[in-house]
Amino acid sequence: MKSAVETLNPTRVRLTVEVPFEELKASLDAAYKKINQQVTVKGFRKGKIPARVIDQRFGRGAVLEEAVNDALPKLYTEAVNEADVNPLGQPEVDITELKDGELLAFTAEVDIRPAIEIPDYSGIEVTVDAVEVDDEDVEKSVEQLRERFASTSPVERAAAEGDVVTIDLRAEVDGEVLADGVAEGVQYTIGSGELLDGIDEAVTGLEAGGEATFTSTLKGGSAEGKEAQVTVKVTTVAARELPELDDEFAQMASEFDTLDELKADSRKRLENMKQYDQATQAQERVLDELLKLVEVPIPEKLLEDEVNTRKHNLEHHQLGQMGLTLEKYLELQGKTVEEFDAETKEQAVKGIKTQFILDELVSREKLNVNQEELTEHLMRRAASSGMSPDQFAQAVVEGNQVPMLVGEVARGKALALVVESAKVVDTEGEPVVLDDDSDDTDEVEEAAEAADTTEEKTEA
């Protein structure tokens, strides 16, 4: 076999391959054997039909077509290895010459991973939010805990903000009661904003047995988005009673003996949360700066596939689970189709660039992933997917996705290297020291997700 490679652009090549006919013998034999099992000829046992009879009855062309289809994957792989290119996705193959007994020639055009030069990134500097927890933050946190331990007691007075009312609802559109627009015994806290717009004003001032009608746009159900006349009847009114903020509350709501200890713990928890947010922010901003430093040509077909994948996942999975159409989603977001397409393309480009750059760093820095790191990552992914670790691991193995998870961990480690070498300060000008645990942040997960798509095409 003789092959040559022609660079069409930084992300696409054309392989030209010529194969002497004798190298197709194994595929020709396999073609005759396959056809033998599929056809019958009077006077011959199934599977024992001579090649010359198959040629006479069914045509030499059918045999050659079967043989070429059998040989092409192997021949293409050999040509790729000889050319030392990293293909992405399926090639476009064109048979340019097929001379029976003499020669098979074909071309294969395919996208490839572009060559990337990563400059010195040690000079990256980013600023992140300072970790600040004031007394007001602590008081708000304790008050939220206090709300969880609130009790209610019936009252014989008009409902007011903060009260819990039990209500019956009936929604009508164009004078007709909706089949799914009737509900009874619904508990609602006035002022929470958890039901329909306008309900707070309607029930405030009503006593048990009181009724009011208001107009509201329905947020779900068969008439979602339509304006409805809603009748609400209050059946009970209950006042919420909050426990006293004292040591007794601390003992009831936590493992602490005093309110001061509870507040100190709340402060520490808030500081940890803000430190985590700070670390995530640092990684996002360092990654953005890294992307600015590196020129990355984007394969057109890969970008097209990634955009289509993102649109499909949003429309058929995320929005489908919420009962929304893409049109309704765009309406709620206040975006045009053109704005949505541009935003999706921008996100896809960023995801592909991130994957290419981090993969290059993994290769350059010779980063490896050990079993412990892979297991920890699998546990995190299982938790975020809502599956048990065993279920998630089984799904990964059955889907041949272990290399994908390894790639995610490796890319996380590559980003950690870049963050470690960057200068990170907070808005107060103080240096920020980050934990070396970067592959579980949202930004790295998003990069890894984009990498999954590309990696699947590479495997193909």
Side-chain angles (χ1 to χ4, degrees):
M1 186 184 80
K2 184 169 65 175
S3 67
V5 60
E6 175 188 359
T7 300
L8 303 177
N9 60 51
T11 63
R12 193 166 180 84
V13 298
R14 178 189 293 124
L15 300 168
T16 302
V17 183
E18 294 183 356
V19 185
F21 218 75
E22 55 266 23
E23 294 186 23
L24 297 177
K25 184 178 183 310
S27 293
L28 281 168
D29 291 343
Y32 278 116
K33 184 175 181 181
K34 182 175 180 180
I35 294 174
N36 242 308
Q37 300 299 322
Q38 295 174 337
V39 301
T40 57
V41 175
K42 189 175 181 179
F44 296 94
R45 286 182 297 163
K46 195 175 186 68
K48 299 296 183 180
I49 308 170
R52 59 180 176 76
V53 175
I54 290 178
D55 289 345
Q56 292 170 356
R57 291 293 186 93
F58 306 103
R60 175 72 167 174
V63 178
L64 291 177
E65 181 180 358
E66 183 65 41
V68 169
N69 288 339
D70 176 76
L72 274 178
K74 180 182 177 183
L75 296 172
Y76 166 72
T77 300
E78 290 179 3
V80 164
N81 291 336
E82 284 185 13
D84 193 25
V85 295
N86 295 311
L88 297 171
Q90 297 291 346
E92 296 179 5
V93 178
D94 182 27
I95 306 297
T96 56
E97 191 173 0
L98 179 57
K99 291 184 179 179
D100 193 0
E102 296 183 29
L103 180 73
L104 164 66
F106 68 91
T107 62
E109 288 191 18
V110 67
D111 286 335
I112 61 170
R113 281 179 176 268
I116 300 174
E117 290 294 331
I118 300 181
D120 179 20
Y121 50 77
S122 60
I124 290 178
E125 297 183 13
V126 297
T127 301
V128 296
D129 294 338
V131 174
E132 296 177 337
V133 177
D134 55 28
D135 292 342
E136 184 178 343
D137 294 328
V138 175
E139 295 299 330
K140 183 178 179 181
S141 175
V142 174
E143 188 63 26
Q144 289 173 343
L145 181 62
R146 188 184 179 204
E147 292 276 350
R148 288 168 51 190
F149 284 86
S151 60
T152 60
S153 58
V155 292
E156 295 183 2
R157 59 166 173 77
E161 183 171 353
D163 288 343
V164 178
V165 290
T166 304
I167 55 177
D168 298 335
L169 294 165
R170 185 178 73 252
E172 299 179 17
V173 174
D174 298 330
E176 293 187 10
V177 178
L178 299 173
D180 56 353
V182 178
E184 297 180 350
V186 177
Q187 284 200 330
Y188 176 66
T189 302
I190 302 175
S192 66
E194 294 176 352
L195 282 178
L196 298 168
D197 293 338
I199 194 169
D200 289 332
E201 294 81 0
V203 298
T204 298
L206 294 181
E207 297 183 14
E211 190 173 296
T213 300
F214 63 100
T215 301
S216 184
T217 301
L218 299 179
K219 297 180 179 180
S222 60
E224 178 185 1
K226 293 185 178 180
E227 194 172 85
Q229 289 293 113
V230 182
T231 300
V232 55
K233 180 179 180 180
V234 176
T235 58
T236 64
V237 178
R240 297 177 73 248
E241 298 177 358
L242 298 174
E244 291 293 329
L245 278 178
D246 52 23
D247 292 346
E248 185 176 341
F249 167 72
Q251 294 165 15
M252 173 182 66
S254 70
E255 70 271 29
F256 301 105
D257 294 327
T258 67
L259 183 60
D260 287 342
E261 289 175 331
L262 173 60
K263 288 183 176 181
D265 180 71
S266 295
R267 183 181 295 275
K268 183 62 177 176
R269 289 175 184 272
L270 290 171
E271 288 174 350
N272 289 341
M273 289 172 59
K274 291 199 173 186
Q275 285 172 349
Y276 177 82
D277 291 341
Q278 186 187 65
T280 301
Q281 191 179 73
Q283 289 173 324
E284 292 172 352
R285 295 182 179 181
V286 168
L287 178 58
D288 286 341
E289 293 302 313
L290 178 64
L291 293 178
K292 293 177 185 177
L293 290 177
V294 188
E295 289 292 329
V296 181
I298 305 295
E300 292 183 8
K301 184 65 167 60
L302 179 63
L303 177 58
E304 179 185 344
D305 290 346
E306 177 65 12
V307 168
N308 289 336
T309 296
R310 286 172 180 259
K311 287 182 177 179
H312 178 85
N313 288 341
L314 173 66
E315 188 169 3
H316 297 281
H317 297 293
Q318 294 164 263
L319 297 183
Q321 292 176 354
M322 295 187 290
L324 290 176
T325 63
L326 181 59
E327 291 75 15
K328 185 63 179 178
Y329 168 76
L330 294 180
E331 180 184 331
L332 294 173
Q333 292 290 312
K335 295 178 183 176
T336 65
V337 173
E338 292 73 21
E339 289 171 336
F340 169 73
D341 287 343
E343 185 180 282
T344 303
K345 183 177 180 180
E346 182 181 351
Q347 292 169 348
V349 168
K350 181 178 180 180
I352 294 172
K353 285 185 65 174
T354 298
Q355 182 239 324
F356 283 165
I357 292 171
L358 295 182
D359 279 351
E360 179 64 25
L361 282 172
V362 169
S363 175
R364 191 174 84 175
E365 302 295 338
K366 297 180 173 56
L367 299 177
N368 296 312
V369 176
N370 60 42
Q371 186 62 47
E372 182 180 356
E373 292 168 332
L374 182 59
T375 300
E376 289 177 357
H377 184 65
L378 184 147
M379 298 283 281
R380 284 193 294 268
R381 287 293 303 273
S384 64
S385 69
M387 301 170 67
S388 72
D390 288 344
Q391 289 174 326
F392 187 80
Q394 182 178 354
V396 166
V397 173
E398 290 177 352
N400 296 317
Q401 299 297 303
V402 174
M404 178 196 75
L405 288 188
V406 172
E408 290 177 4
V409 178
R411 282 184 281 275
K413 295 177 73 170
L415 180 56
L417 281 180
V418 182
V419 174
E420 185 179 348
S421 69
K423 180 181 178 182
V424 182
V425 297
D426 65 21
T427 50
E428 302 296 325
E430 294 295 323
V432 175
V433 179
L434 302 171
D435 291 334
D436 187 22
D437 183 18
S438 59
D439 72 333
D440 60 341
T441 65
D442 293 340
E443 187 70 19
V444 177
E445 291 297 337
E446 182 179 335
E449 183 177 327
D452 299 346
T453 303
T454 307
E455 199 160 300
E456 287 170 7
K457 292 177 174 58
T458 306
E459 292 291 331

